[in-house]
Amino acid sequence: MDVNAAVAAVAGTAGLCTGVIAMLAFRWSERELKKATRASVRPESNAGLPGGVDTVLSVLSSSAVVLDESDGVVKASSAAYALGLVRGGRLAVDAMLQMARDTRRDGEIRQVELELPRRGTGRGDALAVSARVAPLGSRLVLLLVEDLTESRRIEAVRRDFVANVSHELKTPTGALSLLSEAVLEASDDREAVERFAGRMQIEATRLTNLVQELIDLSRVQNDDPLEDAEAVRVDELVAEAIDRCRQPAGSKEITMASGGTHDLSVWGNRGQLAAALGNLVENAVNYSPARTRVGIAVRRVTGQGRPLIELAVTDQGIGISEKDRDRVFERFYRVDPARSRATGGTGLGLAIVKHVAASHGGEVTVWSSEGQGSTFTLRLPETGTVRDRTSAGGPLLVNGDDEGPFATATFEPFPAPEALP
């Protein structure tokens, strides 16, 4: 009996020791596994970085990557990850990796400009970057990458703008030069002189309009319209736009009408707002056939959680094709260049409208159908207390002049809801 009890006690003690050993072994293996997991998730390490380098890299605007002697990433900034330079603890751009190896071998600083594909965006354009590699201590290499994409885009816009301006200025100035020579040669022919002088006046007017619109565009882009802002009555803007186009509309027997909500006001630069609405109405008249109608409708809407004033300019003109709608607000872009030159258009009017709308916290959009006309809608933040005179339902009652092509009419300038952009 005593022998059996002793055997049982020894067996129990052995089992307890085995359990303790197994538990300790499990804890140790679990701890080692966690260490290995952390190492695989966070491949970069600051070990071996010279003092202060980590702090300097954290405040650099450029993307920074530090590589060790085995091309492993010791340190990488968040911007480097955002650009896709580092993936899986390795430098993902082969050209930069080769630069780093060459610099590690001979210690020379290298710099190159590259184009990198945009990863995961689905966009076809590339990132333009400038990469600079320099040795960092005896075994590390520092890579600095500057994103040049935006500066390249701005430079391209500036270059295209200068080229377009040069071309647009060359056309009327060249015509004036030729016409002046023709006048000199036909000095004894009164009829020819009068004809050439008339053409010279047309080209001079076109040149004057172009220069003035260039000045207006520059002013809109550089000036802050809210510095000299005031409450501007929308009724006055509409009346001024109609008066501005009275003569060309009358010559084409185009009926102009306005209507909607009265006594509204917007906050901004009166001159810029008048120019923007005037450009929209002038375009509508220029691109409309004779004996059609152009309307300006005003109403209050709600957008982005705030009240907006919506001015819609509608015509029954030639319309705009789908491929051209996204580009009509670009500088010097013309849907029909031949027609624009015939009407004296410069291709800057809608660009000015876009900049005015954006600088006033609004927007401009376009709805159009070829052969049916277009509706350009300018939306601006409302200001002040207003009174809505528009009755619910029914067409908008519009008021024009008492006689001629501007006579009072009933007009529905807004397209059907399903046609709105």
Side-chain angles (χ1 to χ4, degrees):
M1 189 70 176
D2 293 337
V3 174
N4 291 336
V7 171
V10 171
T13 302
L16 178 61
C17 292
T18 302
V20 170
I21 293 172
M23 182 181 66
L24 292 175
F26 175 78
R27 292 285 180 84
W28 178 83
S29 62
E30 186 180 43
R31 185 165 56 252
E32 292 300 315
L33 180 61
K34 287 182 178 179
K35 288 182 180 179
T37 302
R38 283 195 297 268
S40 62
V41 172
R42 186 181 178 86
E44 64 181 53
S45 171
N46 294 341
L49 278 180
V53 171
D54 187 30
T55 303
V56 172
L57 295 181
S58 65
V59 298
L60 285 176
S61 58
S62 304
S63 301
V65 181
V66 178
L67 303 177
D68 59 19
E69 61 271 17
S70 61
D71 295 332
V73 175
V74 178
K75 179 69 178 179
S77 64
S78 57
Y81 285 102
L83 283 179
L85 303 179
V86 178
R87 290 197 304 276
R90 309 293 292 182
L91 187 61
V93 182
D94 292 338
M96 295 181 186
L97 185 59
Q98 186 59 48
M99 287 174 60
R101 290 170 178 170
D102 293 341
T103 296
R104 186 185 301 111
R105 184 183 65 254
D106 56 25
E108 293 186 4
I109 297 175
R110 289 176 169 81
Q111 184 170 356
V112 68
E113 292 187 0
L114 302 169
E115 288 192 352
L116 307 179
R118 294 181 185 266
R119 300 183 181 276
T121 63
R123 298 172 58 178
D125 53 339
L127 288 170
V129 299
S130 173
R132 185 179 179 87
V133 180
L136 185 64
S138 59
R139 67 183 189 87
L140 302 180
V141 173
L142 172 63
L143 170 67
L144 295 177
V145 179
E146 191 76 26
D147 188 355
L148 304 177
T149 308
E150 183 62 16
S151 61
R152 290 281 182 85
R153 186 192 68 80
I154 294 174
E155 176 62 23
V157 170
R158 186 198 64 79
R159 186 170 56 250
D160 292 344
F161 180 72
V162 171
N164 286 328
V165 169
S166 302
H167 174 74
E168 295 296 332
L169 290 174
K170 184 178 180 180
T171 301
T173 53
L176 285 171
S177 177
L178 292 174
L179 288 168
S180 63
E181 292 178 5
V183 169
L184 290 174
E185 294 176 359
S187 57
D188 56 345
D189 186 344
R190 180 180 177 84
E191 183 180 347
V193 168
E194 291 179 352
R195 184 172 67 254
F196 291 140
R199 287 295 307 167
M200 291 178 69
Q201 286 183 332
I202 293 175
E203 295 300 333
T205 300
R206 176 178 297 172
L207 181 60
T208 300
N209 292 339
L210 175 59
V211 172
Q212 183 58 52
E213 290 204 341
L214 285 171
I215 294 172
D216 292 341
L217 181 59
S218 176
R219 183 180 296 117
V220 167
Q221 290 178 316
N222 296 325
D223 293 349
D224 183 0
L226 301 184
E227 286 185 357
D228 301 318
E230 58 180 320
V232 182
R233 289 174 53 83
V234 176
D235 291 343
E236 295 177 359
L237 295 177
V238 173
E240 186 174 331
I242 291 178
D243 188 63
R244 168 178 169 177
C245 301
R246 187 180 301 274
Q247 191 277 330
S251 64
K252 297 172 68 173
E253 299 182 30
I254 292 177
T255 301
M256 298 186 66
S258 64
T261 308
H262 295 277
D263 293 341
L264 300 177
S265 61
V266 293
W267 187 261
N269 183 291
R270 191 185 191 287
Q272 291 189 16
L273 294 174
L277 183 60
N279 284 344
L280 291 181
V281 177
E282 187 175 19
N283 271 6
V285 172
N286 288 339
Y287 288 92
S288 293
R291 292 178 293 280
T292 55
R293 199 157 45 179
V294 171
I296 308 173
V298 182
R299 65 179 179 179
R300 185 191 301 112
V301 298
T302 301
Q304 300 177 348
R306 57 177 178 168
L308 299 174
I309 304 303
E310 185 176 89
L311 298 95
V313 179
T314 301
D315 62 60
Q316 297 173 315
I318 59 176
I320 305 172
S321 65
E322 185 176 357
K323 68 181 180 64
D324 291 317
R325 283 175 214 154
D326 293 336
R327 301 194 61 191
V328 293
F329 296 103
E330 294 179 12
R331 287 174 258 184
F332 295 109
Y333 184 80
R334 297 183 177 96
V335 175
D336 186 349
R339 187 181 182 93
S340 294
R341 296 189 187 279
T343 60
T346 63
L348 290 174
L350 291 179
I352 292 175
V353 175
K354 179 181 178 181
H355 282 289
V356 170
S359 62
H360 283 76
E363 64 174 353
V364 60
T365 57
V366 58
W367 170 90
S368 186
S369 179
E370 289 186 89
Q372 297 183 23
S374 306
T375 296
F376 284 85
T377 303
L378 180 63
R379 298 182 182 91
L380 299 166
E382 182 183 10
T383 185
T385 304
V386 298
R387 181 163 55 92
D388 191 350
R389 293 180 179 174
T390 306
S391 53
L396 295 173
L397 184 63
V398 299
N399 298 309
D401 287 355
D402 295 332
E403 55 186 2
F406 306 95
T408 301
T410 299
F411 184 61
E412 297 183 47
F414 290 98
E418 62 271 12
L420 285 170

